[in-house]
Amino acid sequence: MSGFTRLSPWIQDYIYRERWTTLREAQEHAITAVLDTPNHILIMSGTASGKTEAAFLPVLTHLTDYPSESIGVLYIGPLKALINDQFFRLEKMMSESDIPVQSWHGDIDGGRKRAFLRRAQGVLQITPESLEALLITRTTELSRLFRDLRFVIIDEVHAFIGSDRGRQIICQLERLSRYQPSPARRIGLSATLGAPDAAATWLSGGTDRKVTIIIPDASEPREVELAVEHYLRAPRKQAVADNPTPTDNNYDEMDDLSAPQDGEFSEAVLAPLPDTNFEPVDDESSALIEDMHRVVRQKRKTLIFTNSRSQAEEAIQNVRTLHHQADGKLESDDADGFFVHHGNISTALREQAEYEMRESERPACVAATITLELGIDLGSLDQVLQLSAPATVSSFVQRLGRSGRRGTPARMLFFTLQTIPPENAGLSQHIPWDLLQAIAIVQLYAEEKWIEPPHISRKPFSLLYHQTMSVLRSHTELEPDDLANWVLKLSPFAHITENEYRALLRHLLSIEHLQLMDEGKLIIGLKGEPIAHNYRFYATFQDEIVYQVRDGSREIGSIQSLPAIGDRFRLAGRSWQVLSIDAERRMLHVKQVKGKAEMYWLGGGAPIHSRVRQRMRQVLIEDHEYGYLFPRAVDRMHSARKLARESGLTRTSLLPIGGSHWMLFPWQGTRIMDTLRLLLARAGLMPRIDDSGVFFYITALDEQFVISQLTELMKKPPEPEKLIESIPTRALQMDKYDPYVPEDLLRAAYIADRLDLVGAYAWLETLMQRLSR
């Protein structure tokens, strides 16, 4: 029996109206898994492959045949924009059914929310933050609202797993299960997961149900048009550093708060862009901008991905300027088709960008960070441009998947960058690390379909604080044992001991975040009240101190650092001058001006996996030619290979560079490199990580000194606590609520979750074997 015949008649009518000719493989498998098994389900399928329908078609059939006595389906999405997008799709699908659907986040009218809760039926689409608010403020109604909840659909699982936000969802579902006869079944949706088994473990957290994993077979190779070009650029002076992509979460979109099809992706289907040619030039800095502009003009809809907000702002402003110069215009207006999309752009301007890409017939170009990696419908994009190599294979696959829908090839062009080496430059400055990283990321997916596995935290104390305060606020007061029963048994805290939880509670009592009543019950303390009762408490991610930017009555977005009156800054792809500052309301009033300006964002670095670093080394070693490289990129790669052979940096891990200075090449990822830095310092080698993040500069009299120091280190490995004793407390406070966690617990968490001692010692063993030959 085909899956179609098992669907409810109103769903079959919908499929006829939409002129579907067949159900996709993931949808067929999901119908069987939902209707014939009691299992949780993980659906891994590419962007635009029908994952959402794969989940909802059988779930809504079940709900039609067996109506729920409460809310029957909970859909959890990472972004308000994604929830809005899915709401309109579901509303259209369910127009002929009797099942209500309601989206729920900070922008939804309160009257609609209250009306839905009174009925408490159908499908509720919500963000983790709004679900946290329901758990806290509607505690007495949770049984009525969710007692017969059948399914929880978690979209974009890869955006949650491995983060406190994802662990928060599992905590929420386990807390909800206390109001249900049996826990609801969970259905996870994702396009880019590197470890399906780990994702399945996460999805089933706190339950004893099995997980059915659905990965459609790849019947035909997917056509991909890919190209990489490389540019030298002058050294840049930046007044204020800005966030890298991984921390540029669209916090406003997360509620006050995409990837290729699963076809063969191999070099056989990697082809250079057929209609793009870049001429050799002397000034590569200007050529970068001109080439980007020319590529944008060739196509109607272009999405430019960058690794930071500053890059997005700069890219769109430069391309817009050239565009208007080419058209003979002196000024640009708001309807010129160029947009910026990141977490500091106002909701209205982000939605305008999404609309112009999806609905408008006019040409449009949007520069974005990770805010457009997720599954928001942007229609049929012509091409994706990537400025600098992304940090992860997952990000590359997501971004590539934004183009190539509706039967067209996926089309992506990389622009990799390298600062022009000064006359006295060392070896590292002559290596095109950005180009090597781009090639490595492409090859890891092309050759192996490899994607980074999630890193699962073992000691999430920041979340433990959050859930402790959340549960206590929802119940008003609890005995210490009852509080521990509610919180410590949640599966994300499986590796936190009872003694560690006691230590946390004692600390919270000492800093007055908790208070012990005379009758022995715990309540939220005087200094905990302002935290737990603030609307920002619902979120587990870090708050940014931002200043709202307004042009008259129009909201433009926000910046982090406070400029002075008269200063100019860049936001939404345009330059603004500060007219006045309302410090109390954190608001800037501005006017638009011509010319370039500074950026006002802060931030740190992005983690890299060891497999990416090792594949970069392989690029330097192998003689393979990559058909997607443009001539300039090929020349730079050949030069880098020649330099690597002549210098020996790929033959040896320890390279002398003069006097007592050496380069040490582990070719490892961020966690191992951070651990090695501490171990090498302990060995007295004075390590400093190069800006590339690939190797260390160390100090040693000779190679024998390195061997003797490391031999001594390996004979008497330091206790992990001793290894990190020099790290200041402030540096340990990396998650939102860490400032309220006692230092000894933060140090335990740092050892468990930030270091990779096994990986670091394994590499040191290998190094010692090489040096001893």
Side-chain angles (χ1 to χ4, degrees), residues 42 44 156-164 166-167 190 192-203 392 394 450-458 607 609 671 753 756:
L42 178 63
M44 297 173 56
E156 306 287 359
V157 163
H158 60 274
F160 290 124
I161 190 172
S163 71
D164 264 0
R167 290 182 281 274
S190 183
T192 52
L193 281 172
D197 291 340
T201 299
W202 173 84
L203 186 67
T392 65
S394 174
W450 182 85
I451 294 174
E452 292 84 359
H455 173 61
I456 307 299
S457 174
R458 294 172 61 86
H609 196 277
R671 287 182 67 220
D753 297 328
D756 185 347

Side-chain angles (χ1 to χ4, degrees), residues 33 115 133 163 208 237 274 289 300 313 367-368 391 400 468 542 560 619 621 708 728 731:
S163 71
D208 55 6
K237 179 182 178 182
I289 301 169
R300 198 168 62 87
E313 294 283 352
L400 176 66
T468 295
Q542 288 278 15
Q560 284 178 285
V619 171
I621 293 173
S708 64

Side-chain angles (χ1 to χ4, degrees), residues 204-241:
S204 64
T207 72
D208 55 6
R209 291 184 191 269
K210 296 180 180 179
V211 179
T212 297
I213 300 176
I214 297 175
I215 306 176
D217 293 330
S219 56
E220 295 183 4
R222 186 193 185 201
E223 187 176 357
V224 175
E225 296 176 355
L226 183 72
V228 178
E229 186 56 296
H230 186 68
Y231 299 83
L232 291 173
R233 65 187 304 173
R236 298 167 55 77
K237 179 182 178 182
Q238 187 141 330
V240 183

